[in-house]
Amino acid sequence: MENNYAIEMKGITKRFGQVVANDNINLSIRRGEILALLGENGSGKTTLMNMLSGIYQPDEGEIYKDGSQIYIHSPREAYEHGIGMIHQHYKLIEVFTAAQNILLGLDEKLDIKGANLKVKNICSRYGFDIDPTMKVYDMSVSQKQTVEIVKVLYRGADILILDEPTAVLTPQETETLFDVLRNMKRDGKAIVIITHKLNEVMEVSDKVAVLRKGEYIGTVETKDTSPQALTDMMVGHAVALNIDRPKYDNPQKKLVVEKLTCVDEEGITKLDHVSFEARTGEILGVAGISGSGQKELLEAIAGLYPVKEGSVRVVNDDGSETELVGKTPRKIREAGVGMAFVPEDRLGMGLVGSMGMTGNMLLRSWKKGKGAFLKTKEPENLANKVMDELEVVTPGVDFPVRKLSGGNVQKVLVGREISNEPSVLMTAYAVRGLDINTSYTIYNLLTEQKMKGAAVVYVGEDLDVLLELADRILVLCGGRVSGIVDGEKATKEEIGLMMTQIGSEEGANE
């Protein structure tokens, strides 16, 4: 085996119309090694690995396995070459067991008893903890991920690609996954992790390959680099990786939530007697495993999700309180409440995709127009300001936002909401899809709003960021409050336990 390379990708180029997603990329992967593939959103990481796993085919370039050229036209052919990819969004049938899901698509004779035994052997070999007879609908997120990884191993893969594997895991689950990856590495597997979490890159990888705007920048030994150096490689210039957490003088309660309970259309309780308060001059972080009620919480406060019982009140400057439950977003505005909301669903709920930046800025001020004519100068000025300050990549302020990349769409939405200087600002995954440079710009903008006296509620999935940015962190588990902790004193491990254990509401306003 020349150079002991399991895989070599040489001169790989992939185009989608006029867009060059990968431009003449060379990448090598060794056995017994964990390679982190790093790059900003839109740098071409997933596209490159999709070609290795057979989802796409390169327009130019060659792929070699163990020194011999191979051709991969489908995921099935990738498996035949021992290559398997675990995607960020799991592809499992909920009513099937783990073993039944693993057997799906295989040509072998259906033997559930034999499959259960083989799955147990794989789990024992690498340190997985999964019952092959368990139904998927009874599994946690980490257990579902385990099924996807075992599915790949069951098919004989010795080259594994994991796309953002820790995005929805607690710190404890992440550490368990890393132990499994180290076991597979010792067994001679070649492992590629696509990620954006620099601390995890430093912890688990042997080497780091960096892409920037579809081009290969280089590969470095993890032990010889640092988060700062990797960030500079990704972005192309020095980036300050510092989040300031200044203190606001005399914070006062601004948003009071008491015993908020929400039930969905199927009768499932999404929020169960949630109580807390958010204060002026404070960023209240909200942590929780995906689906713990974060989305419903913000939408209920904003008047977008039906409330079964409970109260949501905003404290006015004169000390009086305005009840929000039962009010639509329009009625909330008419009541004089300065609330801004950056939802998780950017185009579905936040913006009108067919309109440009100017039109979407106008949505916030159209009621100020008189008669049949609307004043567009102010929204156009705001659109240009957001475009310049947040570096929105668009042909112009009237170009339809649905044709922009996800990261640029998020910049437009965040920029518009922050521009109103609200007294209550709620954001759901405000930096999802944004590059590191712009993410830190958003963190600074949120801190600026906090220091102007706004109560900021920030739902995030990166615990490292939450611990640096938030003054207090509310933890949700199964739609209930597990507790609220001090952002400066709490640890990832403490929050991780709270994310998986439904606690009492004691201390919710500490």
Side-chain angles (χ1 to χ4, degrees), residues 169-188:
L169 302 185
T170 67
Q172 289 82 356
E173 291 168 341
T174 295
E175 197 50 54
T176 299
L177 172 64
F178 286 174
D179 287 340
V180 168
L181 295 182
R182 293 182 187 108
N183 290 337
M184 291 196 289
K185 166 186 154 181
R186 281 191 284 271
D187 197 39

Side-chain angles (χ1 to χ4, degrees), residues 164-226:
E164 300 284 1
T166 67
V168 292
L169 302 185
T170 67
Q172 289 82 356
E173 291 168 341
T174 295
E175 197 50 54
T176 299
L177 172 64
F178 286 174
D179 287 340
V180 168
L181 295 182
R182 293 182 187 108
N183 290 337
M184 291 196 289
K185 166 186 154 181
R186 281 191 284 271
D187 197 39
K189 306 291 186 189
I191 302 168
V192 181
I193 297 182
I194 303 172
T195 184
H196 67 279
K197 297 182 179 180
L198 295 175
N199 60 317
E200 294 177 358
V201 169
M202 300 302 296
E203 181 181 346
V204 76
S205 70
D206 300 296
K207 290 182 180 178
V208 187
V210 178
L211 302 184
R212 186 197 311 147
K213 296 180 180 177
E215 296 183 354
Y216 172 71
I217 302 303
T219 299
V220 295
E221 298 273 350
T222 306
K223 61 182 175 59
D224 297 331
T225 190
S226 67

Side-chain angles (χ1 to χ4, degrees), residues 232-487:
D232 295 349
M233 285 180 71
M234 280 193 292
V235 179
H237 56 79
V239 175
L241 297 179
N242 298 313
I243 299 177
D244 291 327
R245 182 164 42 194
K247 290 294 182 184
Y248 181 82
D249 292 334
N250 193 27
Q252 301 290 324
K253 66 179 181 180
K254 186 66 182 178
L255 180 69
V256 181
V257 177
E258 290 185 349
K259 301 186 184 306
L260 187 64
T261 300
C262 295
V263 179
D264 70 8
E265 294 177 349
E266 297 176 354
I268 298 172
T269 300
K270 292 296 185 178
L271 294 173
D272 188 3
H273 290 80
V274 170
S275 298
F276 67 92
E277 65 179 42
R279 302 163 185 163
T280 58
E282 172 191 71
I283 296 180
L284 176 66
V286 180
I289 296 171
S290 178
S292 293
Q294 302 96 313
K295 176 176 180 286
E296 291 81 5
L297 175 61
L298 297 197
E299 290 182 8
I301 293 171
L304 295 164
Y305 199 92
V307 174
K308 181 179 179 183
E309 61 179 271
S311 172
V312 177
R313 303 187 304 279
V314 168
V315 180
N316 303 311
D317 293 340
D318 61 3
S320 63
E321 297 183 351
T322 301
E323 177 64 60
L324 303 187
V325 170
K327 288 183 171 64
T328 63
R330 179 176 171 180
K331 291 293 184 183
I332 290 174
R333 283 197 304 274
E334 290 175 352
V337 176
M339 178 181 289
F341 176 35
V342 180
E344 183 177 359
D345 185 0
R346 301 163 188 174
L347 286 176
M349 188 178 288
L351 300 169
V352 177
S354 60
M355 294 168 63
M357 288 182 64
T358 300
N360 276 286
M361 300 300 158
L362 185 63
L363 289 176
R364 269 294 192 177
S365 58
W366 68 273
K367 281 201 166 290
K368 296 176 185 175
K370 301 228 175 165
F373 300 98
L374 297 173
K375 296 178 181 178
T376 60
K377 192 62 182 172
E378 189 177 325
E380 186 178 346
N381 290 339
L382 177 57
N384 280 301
K385 181 182 177 185
V386 171
M387 183 173 68
D388 293 339
E389 291 185 358
L390 296 185
E391 298 179 353
V392 178
V393 180
T394 176
V397 292
D398 294 320
F399 187 76
V401 295
R402 65 178 166 77
K403 294 185 178 181
L404 303 180
S405 70
N408 283 303
V409 169
Q410 184 72 328
K411 292 178 189 180
V412 174
L413 182 53
V414 171
R416 184 189 73 187
E417 294 303 307
I418 288 178
S419 71
N420 288 285
E421 298 194 352
S423 59
V424 177
L425 171 61
M426 301 188 299
T427 69
Y429 311 106
V431 300
R432 182 183 282 172
L434 300 185
D435 57 60
I436 288 177
N437 202 22
T438 308
S439 294
Y440 277 80
T441 300
I442 298 297
Y443 302 146
N444 291 332
L445 286 172
L446 295 178
T447 299
E448 283 177 17
Q449 293 303 305
K450 155 189 156 177
M451 295 309 290
K452 289 178 179 178
V456 181
V457 182
Y458 175 89
V459 174
E461 53 199 349
D462 190 326
L463 289 186
D464 291 292
V465 169
L466 277 170
L467 287 166
E468 281 191 73
L469 180 69
D471 298 284
R472 292 184 302 140
I473 300 173
L474 177 149
V475 185
L476 288 175
C477 177
R480 295 187 65 188
V481 176
S482 291
I484 294 184
V485 295
D486 187 312

